[in-house]
Amino acid sequence: MKKGDFVRFAKPEEIDHRFSNQWPSMPKPHLGILIDHDKLMGTAAVFYEGEVFKLRSVFVQKAGKKDFEKR
């Protein structure tokens, strides 16, 4: 992932922290724009609906064609 990419992500309030081993496979229903990705710290900043979310990288994935076809 690099700056400016469209990404899908899960908001922090939607994350169930009890199941940390299932984080990479959890649903990521929101589409936003990646502002910053720090690989060393494992964080990503995503712009979504006028707000910037700072998230762990496991909750962010690069969006593909199918994500845009669904909308």
Side-chain angles (χ1 to χ4, degrees), residues 18 22 24 33 37 46 49 66-67 69:
R18 294 176 292 160
Q22 297 174 0
I33 299 174
H37 182 218
V46 178
E49 292 185 352
K66 290 181 183 179
D67 294 312
E69 290 173 357

Side-chain angles (χ1 to χ4, degrees), residues 54-65:
K54 186 137 180 155
L55 309 161
R56 290 188 57 183
S57 294
V58 295
F59 304 126
V60 180
Q61 287 181 337
K62 187 172 179 181
K65 258 194 247 180

Side-chain angles (χ1 to χ4, degrees), residues 18-38:
R18 294 176 292 160
F19 303 106
S20 62
N21 59 343
Q22 297 174 0
W23 282 348
S25 64
M26 72 180 312
K28 297 165 182 71
H30 307 287
L31 287 177
I33 299 174
L34 186 69
I35 295 175
D36 187 35
H37 182 218
D38 188 349

